[in-house]
Amino acid sequence: MTAMRPMPRPGVLEIEAYVPGKSTAPGVAKIYKLSSNETPLGPSPRAIAAYKACADHLEDYPDGSAADLRAAIGRAFGLDPERIVCGAGSDDLLHLLAHAYLVDGNEAIHTTHGFLIYPIVTLGAGAKPVIAPEKNFTADVDAILAAVTKKTRIVFLANPNNPTGTCLSFDEVRRLHRGLPGNVLLVLDAAYAEYVQRNDYEAGIELVATSENVVMCRTFSKIHGLAALRLGWMFGPAHIVDAINRIRGPFNLTSSAIAAGIAAIEDIEHQEYARAHNTRWREWLTGEIGKLGLKVTPSVANFVLIHFPEARGHTAKDADAFLTARGLILRQTTAYKLPNALRLTVGTEEANRLVLGALKDFLAQPV
Ligand SMILES: Cc1ncc(COP(=O)(O)O)c(C=O)c1O
């Protein structure tokens, strides 16, 4: 007789669990973690102070509606706080969207090198992930539209995308939206929006404000430096906000995340400092690594994708081992279907210069 035991819904066991960027290098005294797109500058000092102040009230539940945080986000972006939902990281919101809008047999589209969480949340909701090919490591609107079927319910678009660092112009996003049936939800994941300095880019606020099937997800984990606290937010049409509020955990944010988030979003100076540092060093890394003869995909985010040759001894895997031995930890991108690349987060000046020096030595090695 077959032993009876609980079984998860179809799809769950097909999920390849998310493997975060490495954070250790055995035997190395000093580690430079450049594998998770964290800011090298840390959070605003005001956010740290707000976090610490929460230590005196740990017995109290947080405000389940995060009203003060939503009001602060609303002030920062000129948005109606009623149309904002906060989550324990934007990952939480991506899961909630999948659970609210996908049922068994539905399809959700993401692009070839799209963020890894999309197939995970899709399978977790019993639906099928459909991959739309990219062009030049960039989402291709025509390919996404060609992948739409009667079963499609969500299109996930990371804009800018992780790990490629490329983005679509607002005109292209609008064209994508125009081509989608009204019952398909377009999820604009703008985790890296704050780093983009292109006039033709828009994170999605206008499209959300003027349509019924678009949401924009944002995070406090990147430019705000609050990844440890798990804090994200979503701006959407009232009916989608209502659906997500019905299924989210009633206390899905901690009080300390709420307090630090408010302080962070109000510290414009810190955000500008972080953006300026990022732009300067991203361009420097792109140029200098390019001069070594390695291809670097032009990025608008806080990381760059470095492509390695296939020649024995000089592959991405070899480079990863060489850099790790020096305490420089980059992100392997094989799970993103980029086996011959590594993703490098823009670090401190010291870390950036060390990476360049190490890559020079790596390529100079006889093989
Ligand atoms: C494209 C993209 N979206 C969402 C996230 C999730 O961010 P968090 O859950 O920390 O808010 C990340 C994190 O790396 C990301 O790269």
Side-chain angles (χ1 to χ4, degrees), residues 191-271:
Y192 301 95
E194 291 85 353
Y195 290 111
V196 185
Q197 295 192 292
R198 265 176 56 162
N199 290 332
D200 61 354
Y201 173 83
E202 212 274 322
I205 289 174
E206 192 190 317
L207 205 51
V208 174
T210 55
S211 60
E212 289 292 313
N213 64 332
V214 185
V215 297
M216 174 192 71
C217 294
R218 303 285 286 257
T219 183
F220 281 84
S221 301
K222 306 301 172 185
I223 204 162
H224 298 294
L226 296 177
L229 294 184
R230 311 307 304 126
L231 187 56
W233 59 280
M234 183 194 99
F235 174 54
H239 66 102
I240 297 180
V241 166
D242 175 52
I244 299 304
N245 272 329
R246 286 170 195 262
I247 60 167
R248 70 176 173 83
F251 302 105
N252 60 336
L253 303 186
T254 62
S255 304
S256 46
I258 292 172
I262 294 169
I265 206 128
E266 289 176 347
D267 192 344
I268 307 285
E269 214 179 301
H270 188 75
Q271 291 164 46

Side-chain angles (χ1 to χ4, degrees), residues 313-314 318 322 359-367:
H314 281 166
D318 299 320
F322 188 94
L359 284 173
K360 238 183 232 170
D361 293 348
F362 168 69
L363 291 169
Q365 277 188 129
V367 285

Side-chain angles (χ1 to χ4, degrees), residues 34-52:
L34 305 165
S35 57
S36 297
N37 298 342
E38 296 147 339
T39 171
L41 306 178
S44 153
R46 290 199 240 158
I48 297 172
Y51 169 81
K52 287 184 175 163

Side-chain angles (χ1 to χ4, degrees), residues 89-91 94 115 118 158 162 189 191-192 219 221-222 230-231:
S90 48
D91 280 351
L94 295 168
F115 184 43
Y118 308 148
N162 167 20
D189 179 353
Y192 301 95
T219 183
S221 301
K222 306 301 172 185
R230 311 307 304 126
L231 187 56

Side-chain angles (χ1 to χ4, degrees), residues 263-283:
I265 206 128
E266 289 176 347
D267 192 344
I268 307 285
E269 214 179 301
H270 188 75
Q271 291 164 46
E272 279 171 2
Y273 161 56
R275 185 163 31 246
H277 173 92
N278 185 68
T279 304
R280 174 175 173 215
W281 288 102
R282 181 186 65 212
E283 298 317 308

